[in-house]
Amino acid sequence: MASLPPPYQTHLPLSPDPGEKPLNNEPQLPLVPIHVVTHASQLPAEFLEPSAERQLVIGFDCEGVDLCRHGTLCIMQLAFPDAIYLVDAIQGGAMLIQACKPALESSYITKVIHDCKRDSEALYFQFGIKLNNVVDTQIAYSLIEEQEGRKRLLDDYISFVGLLADPRYCGISYLEKEEVRFLLRQDPNFWTYRPLSEQMVRAAADDVRFLLYIYYKMMEKLNQQSLWYLAVRGALYCRCFCINDNNFADWPPLPPIPADNLIVDGNAPEEEILSVLDVPPGKMGRVIGRRGASILSIKESCNAEILIGGDKGPPDKVFIIGPVKQVRKAEAMLRGKMMDVYY
């Protein structure tokens, strides 16, 4: 195991200076203890043994090296109302992460996370864990914007830093996130070093510290139809990069369309699906087009999310999430681009 190199051997306080004044709109949350976990016995029993009688809502995130199916999961953060647990996958190993599997797959524990796709991919391919019952705050933010009549620009997904800065949800600046990103660019192995520095502990904890606060703020705003879309899209985003050969038959079923249809403004909810489209070798350029023009035109024509693996892969597939008719429309347009001679 690598030791922490000198640039990371910082000694910054984990708690804010008592004399500092809070920023305007900054939520005054009580400071909670932070526990670094290397053995499952250090985690709460109600987390390790999920039950209908003790249902939980927790903040959740993962840190690692190039986090995806091939990267290294280093830390898993769990935020409870009274404590934050940093599950150390480097020191605790696969046995520790496997001990968390029942909770991560349980419908009795709601996992509040910002952008679940790559975290879910890493958990699935490295540990066989099917992340379930998530509330993705990135999805929730878009649903609230749509619900309140504001349309999101194409590919304009709210970042976690942006969400924290929004006064409707938190109203705080997260400057240290940029510092950690700078350190990660200098050394991608940042999260592998042990012992964890105070800066690493604080940065990991801060990525989940406000998630429960944001969750309750969002729940106040979402109507019943949006809540259903939030559950369905969260499940589809968890599956997005977790490609398997059985069409996700071994994953938990998607939430069904409610019997009462939850009609809002004359619109009933539509079934949503995930489609994975194979792109033949040498055809991805035609799909994307010069400076992204082709894929952008398809996104503008379809009410569906269209995702490409990019640098982390998979490099030969396009992922489409949305209402069935819109997904089928996007599929047809994408196949047409693959057949184009000129692009």
Side-chain angles (χ1 to χ4, degrees), residues 122-158:
L123 289 168
Y124 180 69
F125 282 104
Q126 297 178 37
F127 301 99
I129 294 172
K130 306 175 191 73
L131 187 60
N132 180 42
N133 192 24
V134 304
V135 168
D136 191 317
T137 53
Q138 192 174 70
I139 299 171
Y141 182 91
S142 293
L143 285 168
I144 293 169
E145 293 294 286
E146 182 181 334
Q147 189 179 288
E148 296 180 351
R150 292 182 291 272
K151 272 208 165 188
R152 176 175 62 81
L153 299 174
L154 288 175
D155 294 335
D156 182 22
Y157 303 98
I158 188 75

PDB file of all heavy atoms in Angstrom, residues 122-158:
ATOM      1  N   ALA A 122     -18.887   0.674 -11.163  1.00  0.00           N
ATOM      2  CA  ALA A 122     -17.749   0.138 -10.410  1.00  0.00           C
ATOM      3  C   ALA A 122     -18.203  -0.942  -9.434  1.00  0.00           C
ATOM      4  O   ALA A 122     -17.575  -2.004  -9.323  1.00  0.00           O
ATOM      5  CB  ALA A 122     -17.035   1.268  -9.664  1.00  0.00           C
ATOM      6  N   LEU A 123     -19.295  -0.697  -8.720  1.00  0.00           N
ATOM      7  CA  LEU A 123     -19.793  -1.666  -7.749  1.00  0.00           C
ATOM      8  C   LEU A 123     -20.228  -2.966  -8.436  1.00  0.00           C
ATOM      9  O   LEU A 123     -19.998  -4.062  -7.929  1.00  0.00           O
ATOM     10  CB  LEU A 123     -20.964  -1.066  -6.967  1.00  0.00           C
ATOM     11  CG  LEU A 123     -20.605   0.044  -5.982  1.00  0.00           C
ATOM     12  CD1 LEU A 123     -21.859   0.761  -5.500  1.00  0.00           C
ATOM     13  CD2 LEU A 123     -19.822  -0.507  -4.796  1.00  0.00           C
ATOM     14  N   TYR A 124     -20.828  -2.834  -9.611  1.00  0.00           N
ATOM     15  CA  TYR A 124     -21.340  -4.017 -10.308  1.00  0.00           C
ATOM     16  C   TYR A 124     -20.213  -4.890 -10.859  1.00  0.00           C
ATOM     17  O   TYR A 124     -20.178  -6.104 -10.638  1.00  0.00           O
ATOM     18  CB  TYR A 124     -22.271  -3.579 -11.444  1.00  0.00           C
ATOM     19  CG  TYR A 124     -22.849  -4.713 -12.236  1.00  0.00           C
ATOM     20  CD1 TYR A 124     -23.791  -5.574 -11.676  1.00  0.00           C
ATOM     21  CD2 TYR A 124     -22.456  -4.937 -13.555  1.00  0.00           C
ATOM     22  CE1 TYR A 124     -24.331  -6.623 -12.411  1.00  0.00           C
ATOM     23  CE2 TYR A 124     -22.993  -5.980 -14.294  1.00  0.00           C
ATOM     24  CZ  TYR A 124     -23.924  -6.827 -13.717  1.00  0.00           C
ATOM     25  OH  TYR A 124     -24.452  -7.870 -14.441  1.00  0.00           O
ATOM     26  N   PHE A 125     -19.282  -4.284 -11.561  1.00  0.00           N
ATOM     27  CA  PHE A 125     -18.247  -5.080 -12.232  1.00  0.00           C
ATOM     28  C   PHE A 125     -17.144  -5.523 -11.278  1.00  0.00           C
ATOM     29  O   PHE A 125     -16.519  -6.566 -11.495  1.00  0.00           O
ATOM     30  CB  PHE A 125     -17.655  -4.296 -13.400  1.00  0.00           C
ATOM     31  CG  PHE A 125     -18.550  -4.293 -14.607  1.00  0.00           C
ATOM     32  CD1 PHE A 125     -19.281  -3.171 -14.925  1.00  0.00           C
ATOM     33  CD2 PHE A 125     -18.685  -5.417 -15.401  1.00  0.00           C
ATOM     34  CE1 PHE A 125     -20.122  -3.163 -16.029  1.00  0.00           C
ATOM     35  CE2 PHE A 125     -19.523  -5.422 -16.503  1.00  0.00           C
ATOM     36  CZ  PHE A 125     -20.245  -4.291 -16.816  1.00  0.00           C
ATOM     37  N   GLN A 126     -16.890  -4.770 -10.230  1.00  0.00           N
ATOM     38  CA  GLN A 126     -15.804  -5.134  -9.311  1.00  0.00           C
ATOM     39  C   GLN A 126     -16.276  -5.990  -8.141  1.00  0.00           C
ATOM     40  O   GLN A 126     -15.493  -6.778  -7.600  1.00  0.00           O
ATOM     41  CB  GLN A 126     -15.123  -3.876  -8.795  1.00  0.00           C
ATOM     42  CG  GLN A 126     -14.441  -3.059  -9.894  1.00  0.00           C
ATOM     43  CD  GLN A 126     -13.797  -1.787  -9.373  1.00  0.00           C
ATOM     44  OE1 GLN A 126     -13.237  -1.760  -8.281  1.00  0.00           O
ATOM     45  NE2 GLN A 126     -13.864  -0.722 -10.156  1.00  0.00           N
ATOM     46  N   PHE A 127     -17.558  -5.824  -7.753  1.00  0.00           N
ATOM     47  CA  PHE A 127     -18.022  -6.526  -6.553  1.00  0.00           C
ATOM     48  C   PHE A 127     -19.351  -7.259  -6.755  1.00  0.00           C
ATOM     49  O   PHE A 127     -19.876  -7.845  -5.812  1.00  0.00           O
ATOM     50  CB  PHE A 127     -18.157  -5.538  -5.386  1.00  0.00           C
ATOM     51  CG  PHE A 127     -16.878  -4.831  -5.053  1.00  0.00           C
ATOM     52  CD1 PHE A 127     -16.640  -3.541  -5.524  1.00  0.00           C
ATOM     53  CD2 PHE A 127     -15.890  -5.447  -4.302  1.00  0.00           C
ATOM     54  CE1 PHE A 127     -15.451  -2.881  -5.232  1.00  0.00           C
ATOM     55  CE2 PHE A 127     -14.694  -4.807  -4.012  1.00  0.00           C
ATOM     56  CZ  PHE A 127     -14.477  -3.513  -4.482  1.00  0.00           C
ATOM     57  N   GLY A 128     -19.914  -7.206  -7.959  1.00  0.00           N
ATOM     58  CA  GLY A 128     -21.179  -7.891  -8.207  1.00  0.00           C
ATOM     59  C   GLY A 128     -22.354  -7.285  -7.479  1.00  0.00           C
ATOM     60  O   GLY A 128     -23.353  -7.965  -7.220  1.00  0.00           O
ATOM     61  N   ILE A 129     -22.272  -6.003  -7.150  1.00  0.00           N
ATOM     62  CA  ILE A 129     -23.322  -5.321  -6.398  1.00  0.00           C
ATOM     63  C   ILE A 129     -24.226  -4.560  -7.367  1.00  0.00           C
ATOM     64  O   ILE A 129     -23.751  -3.781  -8.198  1.00  0.00           O
ATOM     65  CB  ILE A 129     -22.725  -4.356  -5.362  1.00  0.00           C
ATOM     66  CG1 ILE A 129     -21.977  -5.147  -4.285  1.00  0.00           C
ATOM     67  CG2 ILE A 129     -23.802  -3.473  -4.731  1.00  0.00           C
ATOM     68  CD1 ILE A 129     -21.181  -4.286  -3.315  1.00  0.00           C
ATOM     69  N   LYS A 130     -25.536  -4.773  -7.263  1.00  0.00           N
ATOM     70  CA  LYS A 130     -26.518  -4.075  -8.097  1.00  0.00           C
ATOM     71  C   LYS A 130     -27.115  -2.941  -7.268  1.00  0.00           C
ATOM     72  O   LYS A 130     -28.041  -3.165  -6.471  1.00  0.00           O
ATOM     73  CB  LYS A 130     -27.594  -5.045  -8.575  1.00  0.00           C
ATOM     74  CG  LYS A 130     -27.046  -6.270  -9.284  1.00  0.00           C
ATOM     75  CD  LYS A 130     -28.166  -7.245  -9.611  1.00  0.00           C
ATOM     76  CE  LYS A 130     -27.607  -8.585 -10.071  1.00  0.00           C
ATOM     77  NZ  LYS A 130     -27.020  -9.369  -8.946  1.00  0.00           N
ATOM     78  N   LEU A 131     -26.583  -1.761  -7.441  1.00  0.00           N
ATOM     79  CA  LEU A 131     -27.030  -0.606  -6.658  1.00  0.00           C
ATOM     80  C   LEU A 131     -28.514  -0.361  -6.907  1.00  0.00           C
ATOM     81  O   LEU A 131     -28.951  -0.242  -8.046  1.00  0.00           O
ATOM     82  CB  LEU A 131     -26.199   0.620  -7.035  1.00  0.00           C
ATOM     83  CG  LEU A 131     -26.412   1.886  -6.194  1.00  0.00           C
ATOM     84  CD1 LEU A 131     -26.073   1.628  -4.731  1.00  0.00           C
ATOM     85  CD2 LEU A 131     -25.557   3.033  -6.745  1.00  0.00           C
ATOM     86  N   ASN A 132     -29.282  -0.268  -5.825  1.00  0.00           N
ATOM     87  CA  ASN A 132     -30.741  -0.235  -5.929  1.00  0.00           C
ATOM     88  C   ASN A 132     -31.314   0.826  -4.995  1.00  0.00           C
ATOM     89  O   ASN A 132     -30.705   1.168  -3.984  1.00  0.00           O
ATOM     90  CB  ASN A 132     -31.308  -1.620  -5.574  1.00  0.00           C
ATOM     91  CG  ASN A 132     -32.814  -1.670  -5.654  1.00  0.00           C
ATOM     92  OD1 ASN A 132     -33.419  -1.127  -6.575  1.00  0.00           O
ATOM     93  ND2 ASN A 132     -33.450  -2.311  -4.686  1.00  0.00           N
ATOM     94  N   ASN A 133     -32.498   1.315  -5.375  1.00  0.00           N
ATOM     95  CA  ASN A 133     -33.241   2.283  -4.560  1.00  0.00           C
ATOM     96  C   ASN A 133     -32.411   3.544  -4.290  1.00  0.00           C
ATOM     97  O   ASN A 133     -32.135   3.885  -3.153  1.00  0.00           O
ATOM     98  CB  ASN A 133     -33.697   1.650  -3.239  1.00  0.00           C
ATOM     99  CG  ASN A 133     -34.716   2.529  -2.516  1.00  0.00           C
ATOM    100  OD1 ASN A 133     -35.396   3.345  -3.137  1.00  0.00           O
ATOM    101  ND2 ASN A 133     -34.810   2.368  -1.208  1.00  0.00           N
ATOM    102  N   VAL A 134     -32.032   4.201  -5.381  1.00  0.00           N
ATOM    103  CA  VAL A 134     -31.287   5.452  -5.245  1.00  0.00           C
ATOM    104  C   VAL A 134     -32.212   6.635  -5.515  1.00  0.00           C
ATOM    105  O   VAL A 134     -33.184   6.539  -6.266  1.00  0.00           O
ATOM    106  CB  VAL A 134     -30.079   5.530  -6.210  1.00  0.00           C
ATOM    107  CG1 VAL A 134     -29.155   4.346  -6.016  1.00  0.00           C
ATOM    108  CG2 VAL A 134     -30.523   5.659  -7.657  1.00  0.00           C
ATOM    109  N   VAL A 135     -31.890   7.754  -4.875  1.00  0.00           N
ATOM    110  CA  VAL A 135     -32.435   9.055  -5.248  1.00  0.00           C
ATOM    111  C   VAL A 135     -31.250   9.847  -5.776  1.00  0.00           C
ATOM    112  O   VAL A 135     -30.352  10.210  -5.017  1.00  0.00           O
ATOM    113  CB  VAL A 135     -33.093   9.767  -4.053  1.00  0.00           C
ATOM    114  CG1 VAL A 135     -33.378  11.229  -4.396  1.00  0.00           C
ATOM    115  CG2 VAL A 135     -34.381   9.060  -3.657  1.00  0.00           C
ATOM    116  N   ASP A 136     -31.234  10.058  -7.086  1.00  0.00           N
ATOM    117  CA  ASP A 136     -30.126  10.760  -7.723  1.00  0.00           C
ATOM    118  C   ASP A 136     -30.478  12.244  -7.763  1.00  0.00           C
ATOM    119  O   ASP A 136     -31.422  12.657  -8.450  1.00  0.00           O
ATOM    120  CB  ASP A 136     -29.918  10.206  -9.135  1.00  0.00           C
ATOM    121  CG  ASP A 136     -28.625  10.701  -9.773  1.00  0.00           C
ATOM    122  OD1 ASP A 136     -28.328  11.905  -9.640  1.00  0.00           O
ATOM    123  OD2 ASP A 136     -27.933   9.893 -10.417  1.00  0.00           O
ATOM    124  N   THR A 137     -29.723  13.064  -7.036  1.00  0.00           N
ATOM    125  CA  THR A 137     -30.052  14.485  -6.935  1.00  0.00           C
ATOM    126  C   THR A 137     -29.857  15.215  -8.258  1.00  0.00           C
ATOM    127  O   THR A 137     -30.461  16.268  -8.476  1.00  0.00           O
ATOM    128  CB  THR A 137     -29.215  15.162  -5.835  1.00  0.00           C
ATOM    129  OG1 THR A 137     -27.817  14.901  -6.053  1.00  0.00           O
ATOM    130  CG2 THR A 137     -29.598  14.636  -4.466  1.00  0.00           C
ATOM    131  N   GLN A 138     -29.031  14.674  -9.157  1.00  0.00           N
ATOM    132  CA  GLN A 138     -28.892  15.282 -10.479  1.00  0.00           C
ATOM    133  C   GLN A 138     -30.190  15.118 -11.276  1.00  0.00           C
ATOM    134  O   GLN A 138     -30.652  16.048 -11.938  1.00  0.00           O
ATOM    135  CB  GLN A 138     -27.722  14.637 -11.225  1.00  0.00           C
ATOM    136  CG  GLN A 138     -27.308  15.373 -12.492  1.00  0.00           C
ATOM    137  CD  GLN A 138     -26.067  14.773 -13.109  1.00  0.00           C
ATOM    138  OE1 GLN A 138     -26.095  13.668 -13.642  1.00  0.00           O
ATOM    139  NE2 GLN A 138     -24.956  15.498 -13.034  1.00  0.00           N
ATOM    140  N   ILE A 139     -30.789  13.930 -11.184  1.00  0.00           N
ATOM    141  CA  ILE A 139     -32.072  13.684 -11.843  1.00  0.00           C
ATOM    142  C   ILE A 139     -33.161  14.516 -11.177  1.00  0.00           C
ATOM    143  O   ILE A 139     -33.996  15.141 -11.852  1.00  0.00           O
ATOM    144  CB  ILE A 139     -32.425  12.192 -11.792  1.00  0.00           C
ATOM    145  CG1 ILE A 139     -31.368  11.352 -12.507  1.00  0.00           C
ATOM    146  CG2 ILE A 139     -33.805  11.939 -12.392  1.00  0.00           C
ATOM    147  CD1 ILE A 139     -31.541   9.850 -12.315  1.00  0.00           C
ATOM    148  N   ALA A 140     -33.176  14.527  -9.846  1.00  0.00           N
ATOM    149  CA  ALA A 140     -34.205  15.274  -9.109  1.00  0.00           C
ATOM    150  C   ALA A 140     -34.165  16.758  -9.457  1.00  0.00           C
ATOM    151  O   ALA A 140     -35.213  17.396  -9.624  1.00  0.00           O
ATOM    152  CB  ALA A 140     -34.015  15.080  -7.605  1.00  0.00           C
ATOM    153  N   TYR A 141     -32.969  17.305  -9.591  1.00  0.00           N
ATOM    154  CA  TYR A 141     -32.822  18.721  -9.932  1.00  0.00           C
ATOM    155  C   TYR A 141     -33.483  19.005 -11.281  1.00  0.00           C
ATOM    156  O   TYR A 141     -34.238  19.973 -11.431  1.00  0.00           O
ATOM    157  CB  TYR A 141     -31.347  19.094  -9.965  1.00  0.00           C
ATOM    158  CG  TYR A 141     -31.074  20.552 -10.259  1.00  0.00           C
ATOM    159  CD1 TYR A 141     -30.949  21.481  -9.213  1.00  0.00           C
ATOM    160  CD2 TYR A 141     -30.936  21.014 -11.568  1.00  0.00           C
ATOM    161  CE1 TYR A 141     -30.704  22.815  -9.478  1.00  0.00           C
ATOM    162  CE2 TYR A 141     -30.695  22.349 -11.836  1.00  0.00           C
ATOM    163  CZ  TYR A 141     -30.567  23.245 -10.790  1.00  0.00           C
ATOM    164  OH  TYR A 141     -30.322  24.570 -11.068  1.00  0.00           O
ATOM    165  N   SER A 142     -33.211  18.164 -12.292  1.00  0.00           N
ATOM    166  CA  SER A 142     -33.793  18.356 -13.624  1.00  0.00           C
ATOM    167  C   SER A 142     -35.316  18.231 -13.591  1.00  0.00           C
ATOM    168  O   SER A 142     -36.023  18.992 -14.263  1.00  0.00           O
ATOM    169  CB  SER A 142     -33.218  17.331 -14.603  1.00  0.00           C
ATOM    170  OG  SER A 142     -31.841  17.565 -14.829  1.00  0.00           O
ATOM    171  N   LEU A 143     -35.833  17.288 -12.811  1.00  0.00           N
ATOM    172  CA  LEU A 143     -37.281  17.115 -12.717  1.00  0.00           C
ATOM    173  C   LEU A 143     -37.951  18.334 -12.082  1.00  0.00           C
ATOM    174  O   LEU A 143     -39.023  18.759 -12.517  1.00  0.00           O
ATOM    175  CB  LEU A 143     -37.600  15.856 -11.906  1.00  0.00           C
ATOM    176  CG  LEU A 143     -37.375  14.526 -12.618  1.00  0.00           C
ATOM    177  CD1 LEU A 143     -37.431  13.364 -11.631  1.00  0.00           C
ATOM    178  CD2 LEU A 143     -38.406  14.316 -13.735  1.00  0.00           C
ATOM    179  N   ILE A 144     -37.311  18.900 -11.063  1.00  0.00           N
ATOM    180  CA  ILE A 144     -37.873  20.091 -10.420  1.00  0.00           C
ATOM    181  C   ILE A 144     -37.854  21.272 -11.382  1.00  0.00           C
ATOM    182  O   ILE A 144     -38.822  22.042 -11.480  1.00  0.00           O
ATOM    183  CB  ILE A 144     -37.109  20.412  -9.118  1.00  0.00           C
ATOM    184  CG1 ILE A 144     -37.360  19.321  -8.077  1.00  0.00           C
ATOM    185  CG2 ILE A 144     -37.537  21.777  -8.561  1.00  0.00           C
ATOM    186  CD1 ILE A 144     -36.465  19.394  -6.868  1.00  0.00           C
ATOM    187  N   GLU A 145     -36.742  21.419 -12.119  1.00  0.00           N
ATOM    188  CA  GLU A 145     -36.661  22.498 -13.102  1.00  0.00           C
ATOM    189  C   GLU A 145     -37.786  22.357 -14.136  1.00  0.00           C
ATOM    190  O   GLU A 145     -38.460  23.339 -14.480  1.00  0.00           O
ATOM    191  CB  GLU A 145     -35.299  22.477 -13.806  1.00  0.00           C
ATOM    192  CG  GLU A 145     -34.115  22.807 -12.904  1.00  0.00           C
ATOM    193  CD  GLU A 145     -34.159  24.246 -12.415  1.00  0.00           C
ATOM    194  OE1 GLU A 145     -33.868  25.151 -13.216  1.00  0.00           O
ATOM    195  OE2 GLU A 145     -34.497  24.458 -11.234  1.00  0.00           O
ATOM    196  N   GLU A 146     -37.980  21.151 -14.630  1.00  0.00           N
ATOM    197  CA  GLU A 146     -39.034  20.897 -15.620  1.00  0.00           C
ATOM    198  C   GLU A 146     -40.412  21.130 -15.017  1.00  0.00           C
ATOM    199  O   GLU A 146     -41.298  21.724 -15.647  1.00  0.00           O
ATOM    200  CB  GLU A 146     -38.906  19.458 -16.121  1.00  0.00           C
ATOM    201  CG  GLU A 146     -39.909  19.071 -17.198  1.00  0.00           C
ATOM    202  CD  GLU A 146     -39.741  17.625 -17.629  1.00  0.00           C
ATOM    203  OE1 GLU A 146     -38.621  17.091 -17.507  1.00  0.00           O
ATOM    204  OE2 GLU A 146     -40.737  17.039 -18.080  1.00  0.00           O
ATOM    205  N   GLN A 147     -40.595  20.678 -13.794  1.00  0.00           N
ATOM    206  CA  GLN A 147     -41.868  20.830 -13.100  1.00  0.00           C
ATOM    207  C   GLN A 147     -42.224  22.303 -12.923  1.00  0.00           C
ATOM    208  O   GLN A 147     -43.398  22.687 -12.975  1.00  0.00           O
ATOM    209  CB  GLN A 147     -41.736  20.138 -11.735  1.00  0.00           C
ATOM    210  CG  GLN A 147     -43.004  19.983 -10.938  1.00  0.00           C
ATOM    211  CD  GLN A 147     -42.711  19.257  -9.638  1.00  0.00           C
ATOM    212  OE1 GLN A 147     -42.447  18.069  -9.627  1.00  0.00           O
ATOM    213  NE2 GLN A 147     -42.763  19.977  -8.529  1.00  0.00           N
ATOM    214  N   GLU A 148     -41.207  23.139 -12.725  1.00  0.00           N
ATOM    215  CA  GLU A 148     -41.425  24.577 -12.498  1.00  0.00           C
ATOM    216  C   GLU A 148     -41.326  25.390 -13.781  1.00  0.00           C
ATOM    217  O   GLU A 148     -41.243  26.616 -13.745  1.00  0.00           O
ATOM    218  CB  GLU A 148     -40.426  25.070 -11.451  1.00  0.00           C
ATOM    219  CG  GLU A 148     -40.641  24.408 -10.086  1.00  0.00           C
ATOM    220  CD  GLU A 148     -39.663  24.883  -9.015  1.00  0.00           C
ATOM    221  OE1 GLU A 148     -38.708  25.605  -9.364  1.00  0.00           O
ATOM    222  OE2 GLU A 148     -39.870  24.535  -7.845  1.00  0.00           O
ATOM    223  N   GLY A 149     -41.308  24.688 -14.934  1.00  0.00           N
ATOM    224  CA  GLY A 149     -41.388  25.380 -16.208  1.00  0.00           C
ATOM    225  C   GLY A 149     -40.080  25.857 -16.787  1.00  0.00           C
ATOM    226  O   GLY A 149     -40.067  26.628 -17.752  1.00  0.00           O
ATOM    227  N   ARG A 150     -38.952  25.374 -16.256  1.00  0.00           N
ATOM    228  CA  ARG A 150     -37.646  25.763 -16.796  1.00  0.00           C
ATOM    229  C   ARG A 150     -37.052  24.574 -17.534  1.00  0.00           C
ATOM    230  O   ARG A 150     -36.914  23.500 -16.965  1.00  0.00           O
ATOM    231  CB  ARG A 150     -36.706  26.217 -15.671  1.00  0.00           C
ATOM    232  CG  ARG A 150     -37.126  27.520 -15.029  1.00  0.00           C
ATOM    233  CD  ARG A 150     -36.138  27.945 -13.946  1.00  0.00           C
ATOM    234  NE  ARG A 150     -36.183  27.058 -12.798  1.00  0.00           N
ATOM    235  CZ  ARG A 150     -37.011  27.212 -11.771  1.00  0.00           C
ATOM    236  NH1 ARG A 150     -37.884  28.194 -11.763  1.00  0.00           N
ATOM    237  NH2 ARG A 150     -36.994  26.363 -10.758  1.00  0.00           N
ATOM    238  N   LYS A 151     -36.694  24.769 -18.792  1.00  0.00           N
ATOM    239  CA  LYS A 151     -36.146  23.682 -19.596  1.00  0.00           C
ATOM    240  C   LYS A 151     -34.641  23.649 -19.482  1.00  0.00           C
ATOM    241  O   LYS A 151     -33.975  24.680 -19.562  1.00  0.00           O
ATOM    242  CB  LYS A 151     -36.546  23.848 -21.060  1.00  0.00           C
ATOM    243  CG  LYS A 151     -37.878  23.211 -21.398  1.00  0.00           C
ATOM    244  CD  LYS A 151     -37.912  22.790 -22.853  1.00  0.00           C
ATOM    245  CE  LYS A 151     -39.072  21.831 -23.110  1.00  0.00           C
ATOM    246  NZ  LYS A 151     -39.010  21.266 -24.466  1.00  0.00           N
ATOM    247  N   ARG A 152     -34.093  22.448 -19.285  1.00  0.00           N
ATOM    248  CA  ARG A 152     -32.646  22.284 -19.217  1.00  0.00           C
ATOM    249  C   ARG A 152     -32.064  22.295 -20.616  1.00  0.00           C
ATOM    250  O   ARG A 152     -32.603  21.702 -21.540  1.00  0.00           O
ATOM    251  CB  ARG A 152     -32.314  20.954 -18.523  1.00  0.00           C
ATOM    252  CG  ARG A 152     -30.841  20.627 -18.490  1.00  0.00           C
ATOM    253  CD  ARG A 152     -30.563  19.364 -17.685  1.00  0.00           C
ATOM    254  NE  ARG A 152     -31.178  18.182 -18.241  1.00  0.00           N
ATOM    255  CZ  ARG A 152     -30.676  17.471 -19.250  1.00  0.00           C
ATOM    256  NH1 ARG A 152     -29.546  17.857 -19.831  1.00  0.00           N
ATOM    257  NH2 ARG A 152     -31.294  16.397 -19.682  1.00  0.00           N
ATOM    258  N   LEU A 153     -30.930  22.983 -20.760  1.00  0.00           N
ATOM    259  CA  LEU A 153     -30.232  22.958 -22.028  1.00  0.00           C
ATOM    260  C   LEU A 153     -29.646  21.567 -22.267  1.00  0.00           C
ATOM    261  O   LEU A 153     -29.343  20.839 -21.309  1.00  0.00           O
ATOM    262  CB  LEU A 153     -29.112  24.001 -22.046  1.00  0.00           C
ATOM    263  CG  LEU A 153     -29.555  25.468 -21.877  1.00  0.00           C
ATOM    264  CD1 LEU A 153     -28.336  26.372 -21.776  1.00  0.00           C
ATOM    265  CD2 LEU A 153     -30.457  25.902 -23.027  1.00  0.00           C
ATOM    266  N   LEU A 154     -29.466  21.191 -23.514  1.00  0.00           N
ATOM    267  CA  LEU A 154     -28.893  19.880 -23.823  1.00  0.00           C
ATOM    268  C   LEU A 154     -27.526  19.727 -23.179  1.00  0.00           C
ATOM    269  O   LEU A 154     -26.678  20.626 -23.239  1.00  0.00           O
ATOM    270  CB  LEU A 154     -28.771  19.715 -25.341  1.00  0.00           C
ATOM    271  CG  LEU A 154     -30.091  19.524 -26.102  1.00  0.00           C
ATOM    272  CD1 LEU A 154     -29.824  19.495 -27.598  1.00  0.00           C
ATOM    273  CD2 LEU A 154     -30.801  18.257 -25.659  1.00  0.00           C
ATOM    274  N   ASP A 155     -27.324  18.577 -22.563  1.00  0.00           N
ATOM    275  CA  ASP A 155     -26.046  18.230 -21.921  1.00  0.00           C
ATOM    276  C   ASP A 155     -25.670  19.173 -20.784  1.00  0.00           C
ATOM    277  O   ASP A 155     -24.510  19.224 -20.374  1.00  0.00           O
ATOM    278  CB  ASP A 155     -24.902  18.187 -22.949  1.00  0.00           C
ATOM    279  CG  ASP A 155     -25.084  17.065 -23.951  1.00  0.00           C
ATOM    280  OD1 ASP A 155     -25.756  16.078 -23.608  1.00  0.00           O
ATOM    281  OD2 ASP A 155     -24.567  17.179 -25.076  1.00  0.00           O
ATOM    282  N   ASP A 156     -26.648  19.931 -20.279  1.00  0.00           N
ATOM    283  CA  ASP A 156     -26.376  20.846 -19.171  1.00  0.00           C
ATOM    284  C   ASP A 156     -26.837  20.180 -17.871  1.00  0.00           C
ATOM    285  O   ASP A 156     -27.923  20.447 -17.364  1.00  0.00           O
ATOM    286  CB  ASP A 156     -27.099  22.170 -19.394  1.00  0.00           C
ATOM    287  CG  ASP A 156     -26.798  23.182 -18.289  1.00  0.00           C
ATOM    288  OD1 ASP A 156     -25.753  23.021 -17.624  1.00  0.00           O
ATOM    289  OD2 ASP A 156     -27.608  24.114 -18.093  1.00  0.00           O
ATOM    290  N   TYR A 157     -25.998  19.287 -17.356  1.00  0.00           N
ATOM    291  CA  TYR A 157     -26.324  18.562 -16.131  1.00  0.00           C
ATOM    292  C   TYR A 157     -25.740  19.315 -14.944  1.00  0.00           C
ATOM    293  O   TYR A 157     -24.572  19.699 -14.962  1.00  0.00           O
ATOM    294  CB  TYR A 157     -25.758  17.144 -16.171  1.00  0.00           C
ATOM    295  CG  TYR A 157     -26.228  16.346 -17.364  1.00  0.00           C
ATOM    296  CD1 TYR A 157     -25.433  16.225 -18.507  1.00  0.00           C
ATOM    297  CD2 TYR A 157     -27.471  15.725 -17.357  1.00  0.00           C
ATOM    298  CE1 TYR A 157     -25.860  15.499 -19.607  1.00  0.00           C
ATOM    299  CE2 TYR A 157     -27.916  14.997 -18.453  1.00  0.00           C
ATOM    300  CZ  TYR A 157     -27.101  14.892 -19.576  1.00  0.00           C
ATOM    301  OH  TYR A 157     -27.533  14.184 -20.667  1.00  0.00           O
ATOM    302  N   ILE A 158     -26.531  19.502 -13.907  1.00  0.00           N
ATOM    303  CA  ILE A 158     -26.051  20.238 -12.731  1.00  0.00           C
ATOM    304  C   ILE A 158     -24.924  19.459 -12.056  1.00  0.00           C
ATOM    305  O   ILE A 158     -25.033  18.258 -11.828  1.00  0.00           O
ATOM    306  CB  ILE A 158     -27.211  20.499 -11.731  1.00  0.00           C
ATOM    307  CG1 ILE A 158     -26.763  21.432 -10.594  1.00  0.00           C
ATOM    308  CG2 ILE A 158     -27.781  19.205 -11.186  1.00  0.00           C
ATOM    309  CD1 ILE A 158     -26.631  22.855 -10.995  1.00  0.00           C
TER     310      ILE A 158
END
